[in-house]
């Protein structure tokens, strides 16, 4: 399509301002802008503007939400037996090479305020081991333990792709064979201002952002990663996010519950700290399994309690999933579109004079799809409760809740508990907190094993194991 045709198309959708600076651009700028415009899905943007700008979004109906079945932490002898059975089934799948690891790392990490992919962040409380390295070492340890291939795919976005690949190359693929790691790139989508106009951040450039972690389901398929997994015999995909420092990658019990339950997509949940903790809640919505974003859960439901005082909707999703490869394929080979959600953000924009402005105030809507919106599409779902202190501590913010500080503290606490269980002495303060920072490589211990040599020894400051 030539410039005139693209201009007419933009005009038809009320987006003619995309050509505002066109005539004064150098040839290179014109060309790259036209390429961007030609690739835009105007129908999609128009539908999102109609839904979220003109109609201000459909209010979430408070009705139709009910409690769902959840496998609680085992308490009775029978539940413990079932957990052992699940673990054995998961270990068998791992040993048979049926499991693949899938990390989504396309987000921009705006709350942390980094100018590089979040996975590079040096989170290790002593060694400053990066998030990517932490995950890579867990993967290496699982491969060794189960003698399996455990192929690893990492989803990036336009925003993180080049830098992420460079990081892996510069760091020798973090000790993993290069051909055991693949990257795929999710799609991006423009932001719109509060009038519904696509935001440009330079005279020759449309501001694009990754289309949410839901984009991973399409990226897996479109990139050929799903075929790669299947060619290696891996039909069970362990999905995780880059910022969770405690996460147990390829947790065999969780995989086992998924497989024994005949599930197509599964999720881990934990008991929310309070009614308003910022995690989505697992429940039935219109009779289907679903995760309801915290911002969409009406207060009367967030605060609803059982007769014993516990929260009725207690199960917070922590973005750890197992996906059946056939399910991902079925979604992509049928008509499949996850719903978009909107988020108000401060987005750089170009002013009338062609200058880029970085606003402090929110000025635009970004659109994202969420991976958990695939849950209602799955024929069966297994939802499994986990322990927060063993599986969930995300790095979202620089300080405060879910921050660098809380993640390091939770790592130190986990490693200290493992050492105590092995018979080591961990100095603790009056509140019971471990005093000395300690860090254990996943290559040494994945879940507290291999620490026998610490029996009777005291854990000093800055211990690295
Ligand atoms: P978050 O929603 O916490 O976003 O992502 P973020 O980009 O890390 O941080 P903020 O909101 O900008 O501060 C949770 C996980 O989903 C991935 C992130 O990389 C992270 O692993 N993600 C998010 C994607 O892969 N793509 C996206 O479009 C959004």
């Amino acid at each position: 399509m030539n410039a005139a045709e693209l201009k007419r198309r933009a005009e038809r959708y009320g987006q003619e301002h995309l050509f505002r600076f066109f005539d004064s651009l150098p040839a290179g700028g014109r060309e790259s802008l036209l390429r961007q415009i030609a690739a835009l899905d105007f129908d999609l943007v128009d539908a999102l503007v109609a839904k979220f700008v003109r109609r201000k979004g459909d209010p979430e109906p408070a009705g139709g939400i009910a409690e769902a079945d959840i496998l609680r932490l085992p308490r009775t002898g029978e539940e413990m037996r079932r957990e052992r059975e699940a673990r054995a089934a998961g270990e068998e799948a791992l040993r048979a090479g049926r499991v693949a690891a899938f990390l989504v790392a396309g987000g921009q990490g705006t709350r942390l305020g980094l100018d590089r992919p979040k996975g590079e962040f040096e989170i290790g409380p002593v060694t400053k081991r990066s998030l990517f390295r932490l995950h890579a070492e867990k993967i290496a340890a699982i491969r060794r333990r189960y003698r399996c291939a455990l192929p690893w795919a990492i989803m990036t976005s336009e925003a993180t792709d080049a830098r992420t690949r460079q990081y892996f190359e510069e760091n020798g693929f973090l000790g993993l064979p290069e051909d055991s790691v693949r990257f795929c790139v999710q799609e991006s989508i423009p932001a719109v201002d509060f009038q519904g106009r696509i935001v440009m951040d330079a005279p020759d450039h449309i501001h694009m952002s990754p289309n949410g972690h839901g984009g991973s389901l399409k990226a897996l398929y479109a990139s050929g990663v799903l075929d790669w997994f299947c060619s290696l015999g891996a039909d069970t995909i362990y999905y995780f996010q880059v910022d969770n420092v405690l996460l147990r990658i390829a947790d065999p019990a969780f995989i086992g519950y998924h497989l024994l339950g005949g599930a197509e997509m599964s999720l881990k949940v934990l008991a929310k700290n309070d009614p308003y903790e910022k995690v989505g809640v697992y429940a039935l919505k219109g009779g289907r399994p679903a995760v309801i974003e915290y911002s969409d859960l009406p207060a009367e439901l967030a605060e609803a309690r059982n007769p014993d005082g516990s929260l009725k909707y207690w199960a917070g999703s922590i973005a750890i999933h197992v996906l059946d490869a056939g399910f991902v394929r079925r979604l992509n080979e049928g008509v499949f579109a996850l719903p978009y959600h909107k988020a108000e953000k401060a987005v750089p924009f170009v002013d009338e004079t062609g200058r880029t402005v970085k606003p402090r105030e929110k000025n635009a809507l970004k659109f994202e799809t969420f991976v958990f919106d695939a849950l209602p599409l799955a024929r069966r779902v297994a939802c499994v409760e986990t322990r927060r202190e063993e599986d969930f501590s995300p790095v979202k913010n620089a300080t405060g809740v879910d921050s660098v500080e809380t993640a390091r503290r939770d790592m130190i606490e986990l490693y200290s508990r493992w050492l105590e269980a092995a018979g080591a002495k961990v100095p603790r303060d009056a509140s019971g907190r471990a005093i000395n920072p300690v860090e254990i490589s996943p290559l040494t211990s994945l879940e507290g094993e291999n620490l026998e040599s610490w029996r009777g020894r005291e854990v000093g400051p800055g211990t690295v194991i």
Side-chain angles (χ1 to χ4, degrees):
M1 230 184 259
N2 62 31
E5 281 167 338
L6 286 171
K7 192 166 180 202
R8 273 199 299 281
R9 191 179 187 187
E11 278 165 3
R12 260 203 322 278
Y13 289 92
Q15 304 288 358
E16 57 279 0
H17 65 284
L18 298 177
F19 285 85
R20 198 165 29 149
F21 301 101
F22 191 76
D23 294 337
S24 55
L25 291 176
R30 283 185 190 190
E31 214 175 287
S32 67
L33 180 60
L34 288 178
R35 251 200 317 273
Q36 261 199 311
I37 294 173
L40 277 186
D41 185 343
F42 279 103
D43 283 329
L44 173 63
V45 176
D46 204 48
L48 294 172
V49 169
K51 179 169 179 186
F52 292 112
V53 181
R54 291 203 277 276
R55 263 190 289 140
K56 298 285 178 211
D58 295 324
E60 198 65 27
I65 293 177
E67 287 159 278
D69 283 341
I70 299 172
L71 285 153
R72 300 296 312 245
L73 288 171
R75 286 188 182 86
T76 65
E78 172 56 17
E79 287 165 353
M80 288 178 194
R81 191 192 58 74
R82 272 176 49 192
E83 191 191 39
R84 279 195 301 278
E85 210 174 87
R87 184 172 173 113
E91 292 191 321
E92 193 184 311
L94 277 157
R95 272 192 292 270
R98 285 184 60 193
V99 182
F102 183 39
L103 164 66
V104 295
Q108 291 167 300
T110 43
R111 282 169 286 176
L112 202 53
L114 290 183
D115 57 358
R116 57 206 165 111
K118 204 193 257 189
E120 288 185 28
F121 189 79
E122 298 89 359
I123 195 64
V126 184
T127 66
K128 304 281 179 286
R129 183 183 261 105
S130 71
L131 283 161
F132 281 143
R133 187 173 290 279
L134 184 66
H135 300 320
E137 290 186 7
K138 288 183 187 177
I139 283 174
I142 296 157
R143 287 178 181 174
R144 198 176 55 195
R145 180 191 278 185
Y146 298 105
R147 298 175 195 280
C148 60
L150 194 76
W152 184 20
I154 300 168
M155 183 182 79
T156 61
S157 62
E158 231 172 81
T160 63
D161 187 59
R163 188 53 229 185
T164 302
R165 288 177 201 250
Q166 188 187 342
Y167 181 81
F168 272 74
E169 270 154 29
E170 283 172 2
N171 289 281
F173 276 72
L174 306 169
L176 298 171
E178 199 173 323
D179 62 1
S180 71
V181 181
R182 286 209 185 165
F183 299 92
C184 58
V185 189
Q186 70 179 110
E187 290 176 359
S188 291
I189 182 166
V192 300
D193 66 18
F194 296 147
Q195 282 72 50
R197 294 180 322 164
I198 291 172
V199 178
M200 299 186 75
D201 55 16
D204 61 354
H205 194 258
I206 296 168
H207 182 86
M208 302 291 287
S209 42
N211 67 347
H213 41 63
S216 62
L217 295 173
K218 198 164 169 194
L220 260 182
Y221 180 83
S223 64
V225 160
L226 191 69
D227 286 337
W228 177 54
F229 286 165
C230 292
S231 73
L232 297 170
D235 61 359
T236 306
I237 302 167
Y238 205 93
Y239 167 105
F240 59 101
Q241 306 195 335
V242 75
D243 49 22
N244 183 357
V245 295
L246 297 190
L247 141 107
R248 301 173 60 185
I249 298 176
D251 172 5
F254 181 41
I255 294 170
Y257 281 126
H258 168 89
L259 292 173
L260 295 175
E264 286 191 314
M265 179 168 181
S266 295
L267 73 158
K268 281 200 186 196
V269 294
L270 43 72
K272 289 198 295 179
N273 276 332
D274 63 75
Y276 294 106
E277 183 175 355
K278 291 187 172 175
V279 284
V281 161
Y282 181 63
L284 294 180
K285 192 172 162 192
R288 300 293 309 152
V291 168
I292 298 141
E293 256 299 79
Y294 55 87
S295 47
D296 292 337
L297 189 68
E300 73 263 25
L301 295 185
E303 289 178 12
R305 294 198 182 259
N306 297 309
D308 67 359
S310 59
L311 285 178
K312 196 164 175 193
Y313 297 101
W314 57 270
S317 167
I318 54 171
I320 300 174
H321 299 287
V322 179
L323 292 156
D324 173 57
F327 172 56
V328 178
R329 193 174 297 282
R330 176 158 64 76
L331 290 180
N332 281 281
E333 289 176 355
V335 185
F336 146 68
L338 296 178
Y340 274 89
H341 301 252
K342 65 155 188 189
E344 291 187 5
K345 300 267 171 157
V347 172
F349 65 96
V350 63
D351 69 9
E352 289 305 319
T353 65
R355 225 170 23 104
T356 301
V357 182
K358 287 193 175 158
R360 281 170 184 273
E361 304 293 316
K362 294 171 178 173
N363 62 329
L365 299 181
K366 282 190 178 182
F367 302 111
E368 292 196 343
T369 57
F370 297 150
V371 71
F372 54 68
D373 279 329
L375 284 166
L377 307 174
R379 292 191 185 120
R380 288 181 93 137
V381 168
C383 178
V384 183
E385 184 184 9
T386 188
R387 291 180 183 82
R388 184 184 294 267
E389 63 280 8
E390 289 176 3
D391 230 345
F392 187 59
S393 182
V395 189
K396 299 285 185 196
N397 306 299
T399 55
V401 180
D402 293 341
S403 64
V404 174
E405 193 188 334
T406 54
R408 287 198 178 126
R409 181 200 66 201
D410 292 342
M411 291 171 90
I412 294 170
E413 286 302 326
L414 178 69
Y415 301 145
S416 297
R417 282 197 306 277
W418 287 354
L419 285 160
E420 278 170 335
K425 190 171 165 352
V426 171
R428 293 187 175 272
D429 65 16
S431 69
R433 282 257 163 87
I435 292 171
N436 295 326
V438 46
E439 191 170 335
I440 301 178
S441 164
L443 293 170
T444 305
S445 186
L446 265 175
E447 42 187 7
E449 76 284 12
N450 291 337
L451 299 172
E452 299 76 15
S453 63
W454 279 84
R455 173 173 294 281
R457 288 164 65 187
E458 176 160 321
V459 178
T463 298
V464 175
I465 301 172

